[in-house]
Amino acid sequence: MFAAKVETSFTYDTDATLGEELHSDRPSVLSSKLRELFSAYTSCPTYTMTAGSTPIEVRVSKSVTPELGDERFAYTSTMELPSGPQVLKTVAVRKGNVAVMLVGAPALVDRHIETAVGKIPAGS
């Protein structure tokens, strides 16, 4: 979807993971694509997806984002799994021609987004 992308994930314990993606493209392209992506998720407050043959209800709501970078987007999704609800937060921050996106447990995303954005080189 973007000119360049790298991603990694971290496991903090058996129930907490954090994924990080870096995207690079012209600022106007990053802005447009992120706006499109986050609008798609937040335009439908509930939807159903399937895992194998199991239907999973997903509730989505916009989330507050810290005042970081040039643009920021966030939503929280709650998946009703057979084992119980799972909550994930997704935050993307664009700074110049680089965007960082974190996905994971809300507390982990909130704790690490400022550090992740802070690692984007000046003048990006």
Side-chain angles (χ1 to χ4, degrees):
M1 182 157 95
F2 301 104
K5 173 184 173 180
V6 294
E7 61 185 293
T8 190
S9 62
F10 309 91
T11 301
Y12 285 83
D13 62 33
T14 57
D15 295 325
T17 61
L18 180 68
E20 180 177 10
E21 297 179 6
L22 290 173
H23 300 277
S24 177
D25 212 323
R26 293 186 323 273
S28 61
V29 172
L30 281 173
S31 179
S32 173
K33 297 289 186 181
L34 288 171
R35 191 174 314 282
E36 183 181 323
L37 175 68
F38 279 77
S39 291
Y41 276 104
T42 59
S43 66
C44 236
T46 62
Y47 62 91
T48 302
M49 64 181 221
T50 56
S53 61
T54 304
I56 298 171
E57 182 180 319
V58 181
R59 293 187 315 280
V60 180
S61 61
K62 288 184 181 180
S63 297
V64 175
T65 58
E67 292 292 319
L68 299 169
D70 300 315
E71 283 185 289
R72 63 216 59 81
F73 307 89
Y75 67 87
T76 301
S77 56
T78 303
M79 294 173 280
E80 295 298 334
L81 303 173
S83 59
Q86 180 180 9
V87 180
L88 293 175
K89 185 171 186 176
T90 303
V91 175
V93 175
R94 181 186 65 80
K95 184 176 172 185
N97 68 337
V98 176
V100 62
M101 187 181 305
L102 297 184
V103 180
L108 287 174
V109 171
D110 291 343
R111 185 178 328 145
H112 295 288
I113 189 65
E114 189 171 343
T115 301
V117 172
K119 290 183 179 185
I120 297 174
S124 293

